[in-house]
Amino acid sequence: MTADAQEFLTFTLGNEHYALDILTVKEIRGYDSVTKIANAPPFIKGVINLRGDIVPIVDLRIKFNIGNVTYDEFTIVIVLHIRNRIVGIVVDGVSDVVSLTRDQLCPPPDFGVAFNSRYLLGLATVNEQMIILVDINELISSEEMGLFESAIESGG
Amino acid sequence: MPIDMKQFHAVFFEESQEHLEEMEQLLLDLDIVNPDAEMLNSIFRAAHSIKGGSGIFGFDALASVTHVMESLLDKIRQGKMMITAEMVDLFLSSVDQLKEILRCYRTNETLDWTQVQGLTKRLELVTAGTVPFTIPATSVVVDEDAFGFFNDEESAKEEEHGFFDEPVPEESFGFFDEIPDPVSAPIAIAKSASTEAYGFFENFTPAETLATSSPAITPFAVSVSNIKDKVAATAKIKNSEPIHVESSSIRVDVVKVDQLINLVGEIVITQSMLSLLGKSLEGTLGEKFQAVANELERNTREIQEAVMSIRMLPVSFVFNRFPRVVRDLATKLGKQIDLIIEGGETELDKGLTEKLVDPLTHLVRNSIDHGIESAAVRIEHGKNPMGTVVLRAAQQGGNIVISISDDGGGLNRERILEKARENNIPIGENPKDEDIWQLIFAPGFSTAAAVTDVSGRGVGMDVVKRNVQSLGGRIDIESRAGQGATFTIHLPLTLAIVDGMCVSVGEQTFIVPLVNIVESMQPASKDIKTLAGDDQLLHVRNEYWPILPLYKVMQVEPKFTDVSKGIAVLVETNKYRFALFVDGLVGQQQVVIKSLEQHYKRVQGVAGATIMGDGSVALIVDVESLALTVNNIMQLATAV
């Protein structure tokens, strides 16, 4: 492992393997019942109580239209800590933690994956499997997600 | 083992700050013609306490100033010298300087010793009584004063611009530059071009010179050394005397209190989960468990109330700063103003009191500057030349109501309308007074330009309104031309807890704040009238209430869509009333409000969220903003 190696948590959405910076991960938990929020886009499932904090839950499978949108005891929520906020994302599964260096990364393709390349850090191959590195900070705080919009407003 | 004195510093700073504030308060309350001996004693004690502490910790600047103050106070106290308005002014400016010195020590900034020495010298001169209050003597005093303040501005730019503790400095200067001070106008105009601080100060100086040029009081020629001996003697006596007011409070970090509140919130949740579990127990064990659970419930409720009350502070914490603000501003503007404070003992959440300072200061300044007319104008209108500003706080149900009234000229309807037209703010035909008054809260709408002839800078009332709204409150205006205006702020009692009725819609639970609920009922189908479209009205005792189905607003799948099968909760806000249609009532409960915005964003119709007994999240309904969504139905209702 070289000095600039970074650790990533890999997860699956449908048949694709993705990875996000492990330092943003607060915890991984099972999917629990959520409280629906009116006038929210369908991919925002609602809010849950995370030890006293009211945390929104985003289903990335709905957002990017991949994978099977079912909720059972195996449904996984990755709770992330992003820009001082807590957000939970629903994914199909969590697989592994990988350590990657910069030179293992290839630039992301402009199309062909569900995510806009703006939210991608690059591609990497681990164990002959392609992993898409997601810039999770950028993605979750993007305007498209509509989660942080009020923060920008009130901050200004 | 050497004791690290630093650990006591924080306590000393806090205490000294309190003593200074107490001194300021007492000085302002002091009746100069007939000073109260006990008040003089209290001022003396405050100065003495600071002196004692600063001596121990080696804060020499504080010690030297308070020492001379003490000497002078002692003389006055013993009747050897008569207190004068000039002395009170001197004491007040000393208090200001002491606060500044204290701040320097606190932040480890370098002290300006020339200022300290200047102040000490002035105090000494007055104390010695060798320099009577004649014009030459005062001019010396004034010079040093001006110099001191000027330096202040130069050295500590980040500090507020002097005297008034201004939250919005640039605006405050707008105030002073614009208002021609009848006393000091010529000089002010001549000098205001130099620097703001300087111009500001020059403004003040002539006023003082004029005031002090009045016939002097015969001084007592007591030598300085004599007084020092006396003070030392009294100091010893003081030390041996029992302290009159035993302090029964302790200082606790707010973070700790908040932590406690959060933890209690969690306990409440755990407790309700426990009693929920207990319900599934049967037989004698179940009964016993239920009894214990009930006991626990009562205890946790009491703990919760007790903990919440820690955060409550009397509103006088905010109000007490205003006598000074009013006094200084009145002097500056050459107006005579009597400030009346009522209901200072009303308790308010600490978080609220702190955030109230800015909007209240703004409103009070506004009343004095634009509301109260100058004495000449007042006499012309047959009014008492002394204007009155009333600050009042009271609890009304679940709300705290704070009002600022003045007996000035009131808002000028025509001018506001004119200004609104200039700013292209749409106004209806023949608008009501209340609607017009609300216009002054529009951003960039300067009250100055609208209400007086002085041009304003357009910062102000919109910020006040925003501040109040961010506290979950609202602000109303009443005004009568020639008789004055009243600004009323309505605030929730506390930010953290709400008494609510839990209602169910489909699988979800919602909380309706109890303050909004009039009554709940199962409506008979004959009382439900359907209007064009889907809108429905509920007929209750000769009144028609528009029905708002909560499932539609909250977009959840309900158990019933037929109103007669569910429950109608009649709710009202101060403007609107309607019937909220829900599936059923779950029960009444006190809930801790959790912010939805912390990790998500504001949701229309939702005031916040709370955690229920089973750990799930329930949304708290914001009846006020729901009312806006039914506004169109409301209009139908009023047409009926």
Side-chain angles (χ1 to χ4, degrees):
Chain A
M1 199 164 99
T2 55
D4 66 338
Q6 236 184 320
E7 291 196 309
F8 291 87
L9 177 77
T10 62
F11 59 95
T12 53
L13 285 175
N15 297 323
E16 291 176 18
H17 293 262
Y18 293 87
L20 53 84
D21 182 359
I22 201 155
L23 294 178
T24 60
V25 178
K26 193 176 157 72
E27 66 183 74
I28 297 167
R29 65 202 321 266
Y31 184 86
D32 238 338
S33 66
V34 296
T35 300
K36 254 198 80 166
I37 302 273
N39 300 316
F43 61 85
I44 294 177
K45 294 304 294 173
V47 288
I48 61 159
N49 160 30
L50 189 78
R51 290 183 297 279
D53 277 315
I54 310 290
V55 173
I57 299 294
V58 178
D59 196 331
L60 288 187
R61 303 173 300 183
I62 301 177
K63 170 72 190 157
F64 297 108
N65 204 12
I66 30 174
N68 304 319
V69 184
T70 51
Y71 300 98
D72 52 34
E73 62 265 44
F74 304 113
T75 310
I76 296 290
V77 175
I78 306 176
V79 181
L80 302 167
H81 210 138
I82 287 173
R83 304 204 176 150
N84 285 328
R85 287 175 171 231
I86 304 172
V87 178
I89 56 169
V90 183
V91 296
D92 276 333
V94 175
S95 358
D96 204 356
V97 176
V98 293
S99 182
L100 295 171
T101 58
R102 197 158 286 282
D103 27 294
Q104 278 176 278
L105 293 185
C106 320
D110 285 337
F111 56 89
V113 282
F115 291 57
N116 186 319
S117 59
R118 197 145 48 105
Y119 310 130
L120 298 183
L121 291 173
L123 302 177
T125 310
V126 176
N127 299 335
E128 292 175 10
Q129 221 168 35
M130 187 189 74
I131 295 175
I132 305 159
L133 264 62
V134 182
D135 188 345
I136 198 75
N137 279 303
E138 207 50 51
L139 173 68
I140 296 297
S141 56
S142 69
E143 214 170 289
E144 199 181 326
M145 296 300 277
L147 284 168
F148 279 58
E149 158 197 287
S150 64
I152 295 158
E153 272 172 24
S154 63
Chain B
M1 197 179 81
I3 301 165
D4 182 12
M5 296 297 264
K6 283 231 165 65
Q7 59 179 310
F8 303 115
H9 284 188
V11 178
F12 169 72
F13 290 143
E14 289 274 340
E15 274 178 10
S16 302
Q17 190 72 32
E18 257 174 33
H19 284 309
L20 285 173
E21 263 147 36
E22 189 193 348
M23 259 163 113
E24 187 172 353
Q25 187 65 41
L26 288 164
L27 283 166
L28 289 169
D29 290 346
L30 198 64
D31 181 2
I32 295 166
V33 187
N34 194 6
D36 181 51
E38 189 43 45
M39 274 168 96
L40 285 172
N41 276 333
S42 304
I43 300 172
F44 178 87
R45 272 199 300 273
H48 180 74
S49 309
I50 299 173
K51 183 186 133 185
S54 40
I56 293 169
F57 295 114
F59 299 134
D60 297 338
L62 279 177
S64 70
V65 175
T66 42
H67 175 74
V68 230
M69 274 178 91
E70 205 185 50
S71 313
L72 180 52
L73 281 163
D74 192 41
K75 260 183 153 179
I76 297 167
R77 194 163 76 121
Q78 292 179 3
K80 291 193 179 164
M81 214 169 194
M82 288 291 288
I83 191 153
T84 60
E86 292 75 50
M87 284 188 194
V88 174
D89 282 339
L90 181 59
F91 279 137
L92 281 174
S93 71
S94 308
V95 168
D96 283 338
Q97 201 137 9
L98 285 172
K99 281 184 182 169
E100 174 61 20
I101 297 172
L102 199 62
R103 195 188 59 81
C104 287
Y105 275 128
R106 220 177 205 171
T107 54
N108 282 326
E109 274 174 47
T110 348
L111 267 174
D112 189 347
W113 274 96
T114 45
Q115 270 187 57
V116 176
Q117 278 154 7
L119 181 69
T120 320
K121 208 169 147 203
R122 276 168 57 198
L123 283 163
E124 267 169 2
L125 285 175
V126 179
T127 314
T130 47
V131 186
F133 282 106
T134 51
I135 297 160
T138 329
S139 66
V140 172
V141 168
V142 165
D143 274 350
E144 271 170 7
D145 205 355
F147 177 67
F149 268 86
F150 192 58
N151 254 4
D152 229 20
E153 293 291 337
E154 292 278 87
S155 61
K157 276 262 155 56
E158 79 281 4
E159 260 291 288
E160 298 103 316
H161 292 251
F163 248 37
F164 286 96
D165 252 356
E166 264 312 309
V168 203
E170 74 277 14
E171 204 211 350
S172 69
F173 282 119
F175 257 66
F176 300 132
D177 288 345
E178 286 150 12
I179 312 283
D181 187 330
V183 185
S184 59
I187 302 166
I189 290 158
K191 298 277 182 156
S192 59
S194 50
T195 72
E196 276 179 348
Y198 195 64
F200 164 54
F201 210 83
E202 280 298 321
N203 251 351
F204 191 66
T205 344
E208 197 179 330
T209 322
L210 284 186
T212 46
S213 59
S214 54
I217 295 97
T218 331
F220 285 84
V222 183
S223 78
V224 178
S225 61
N226 252 347
I227 302 159
K228 276 187 179 155
D229 287 344
K230 283 219 174 71
V231 170
T234 13
K236 270 177 203 143
I237 296 163
K238 275 281 147 210
N239 281 345
S240 57
E241 269 177 20
I243 304 157
H244 289 293
V245 189
E246 188 77 43
S247 165
S248 56
S249 62
I250 52 163
R251 227 175 283 281
V252 180
D253 197 333
V254 188
V255 178
K256 285 189 184 168
V257 176
D258 286 346
Q259 210 174 2
L260 198 61
I261 290 173
N262 271 340
L263 284 173
V264 169
E266 295 294 308
I267 289 183
V268 172
I269 291 161
T270 324
Q271 177 267 317
S272 2
M273 287 166 101
L274 205 62
S275 26
L276 216 63
L277 269 178
K279 291 209 173 98
S280 53
L281 285 176
E282 279 167 14
T284 39
L285 185 65
E287 273 171 32
K288 275 183 190 160
F289 185 90
Q290 210 55 51
V292 178
N294 287 344
E295 183 81 1
L296 183 65
E297 186 182 338
R298 201 165 47 244
N299 290 342
T300 38
R301 185 177 297 273
E302 274 170 23
I303 289 179
Q304 194 176 26
E305 274 167 19
V307 168
M308 291 311 293
S309 74
I310 298 178
R311 278 191 67 95
M312 301 300 262
L313 278 182
V315 76
S316 58
F317 271 76
V318 188
F319 281 4
N320 280 349
R321 60 191 285 123
F322 287 110
R324 183 73 195 274
V325 172
V326 172
R327 183 185 189 275
D328 290 346
L329 195 59
T331 321
K332 183 112 275 23
L333 296 170
K335 291 180 181 174
Q336 297 171 27
I337 286 159
D338 189 16
L339 176 74
I340 300 171
I341 291 181
E342 288 174 12
E345 72 285 346
T346 315
E347 286 198 329
L348 198 58
D349 190 278
K350 184 176 155 56
L352 285 175
T353 39
E354 278 165 3
K355 289 179 188 132
L356 261 179
V357 173
D358 283 5
L360 276 184
T361 312
H362 197 102
L363 289 174
V364 168
R365 296 175 52 92
N366 220 43
S367 287
I368 295 170
D369 188 8
H370 309 308
I372 305 274
E373 317 90 326
S374 67
V377 176
R378 290 182 69 90
I379 294 168
E380 206 173 287
H381 285 88
K383 286 187 186 175
N384 184 345
M386 172 87 93
T388 312
V389 173
V390 184
L391 256 179
R392 191 180 289 127
Q395 187 176 344
Q396 284 180 6
N399 279 312
I400 295 286
V401 180
I402 295 173
S403 65
I404 300 106
S405 322
D406 63 68
D407 63 348
L411 300 176
N412 188 327
R413 188 185 156 106
E414 288 314 310
R415 272 194 161 281
I416 295 174
L417 280 176
E418 200 178 295
K419 183 80 186 175
R421 275 183 217 113
E422 260 172 51
N423 286 8
N424 290 327
I425 299 172
I427 333 159
E429 287 288 309
N430 262 333
K432 279 187 278 181
D433 272 0
E434 303 92 83
D435 296 337
I436 296 173
W437 307 150
Q438 288 295 324
L439 287 175
I440 67 171
F441 292 122
F445 198 101
S446 155
T447 46
V451 185
T452 72
D453 294 324
V454 180
S455 73
R457 306 204 169 185
V459 194
M461 293 306 273
D462 62 316
V463 181
V464 171
K465 186 171 188 179
R466 249 208 328 270
N467 283 347
V468 171
Q469 277 177 341
S470 73
L471 299 175
R474 56 166 218 280
I475 181 162
D476 294 334
I477 306 175
E478 269 171 58
S479 171
R480 279 195 208 162
Q483 291 179 28
T486 301
F487 291 80
T488 312
I489 300 173
H490 299 258
L491 289 170
L493 206 52
T494 163
L495 292 172
I497 274 199
V498 67
D499 260 316
M501 175 66 79
C502 305
V503 298
S504 67
V505 180
E507 307 245 290
Q508 288 200 22
T509 307
F510 293 91
I511 317 284
V512 183
L514 224 48
V515 280
N516 297 115
I517 298 182
V518 182
E519 63 176 288
S520 307
M521 57 167 62
Q522 183 153 31
S525 35
K526 66 174 172 55
D527 289 332
I528 300 160
K529 319 281 179 206
T530 306
L531 296 176
D534 289 337
D535 296 339
Q536 289 180 310
L537 293 178
L538 181 63
H539 186 220
V540 186
R541 289 186 294 270
N542 292 326
E543 273 184 272
Y544 285 96
W545 297 63
I547 297 173
L548 178 76
L550 196 56
Y551 73 86
K552 274 194 191 162
V553 194
M554 294 298 169
Q555 298 173 337
V556 283
E557 204 52 51
K559 223 158 46 186
F560 311 113
T561 48
D562 180 356
V563 178
S564 64
K565 292 217 172 78
I567 299 282
V569 182
L570 305 186
V571 291
E572 69 177 358
T573 70
N574 62 326
K575 286 201 183 106
Y576 305 107
R577 47 199 341 214
F578 55 94
L580 211 53
F581 164 55
V582 299
D583 283 350
L585 298 179
V586 180
Q588 192 180 321
Q589 199 180 330
Q590 230 181 21
V591 297
V592 180
I593 304 178
K594 299 264 179 184
S595 158
L596 203 57
E597 285 150 78
Q598 195 183 352
H599 302 295
Y600 186 51
K601 57 186 179 186
R602 201 171 169 75
V603 178
Q604 173 81 21
V606 175
T610 192
I611 296 160
M612 300 302 289
D614 58 358
S616 68
V617 179
L619 300 179
I620 302 165
V621 172
D622 180 1
V623 177
E624 195 88 32
S625 79
L626 272 187
L628 298 176
T629 68
V630 275
N631 207 359
N632 50 346
I633 313 177
M634 298 302 297
Q635 276 159 4
L636 282 172
T638 44
V640 169

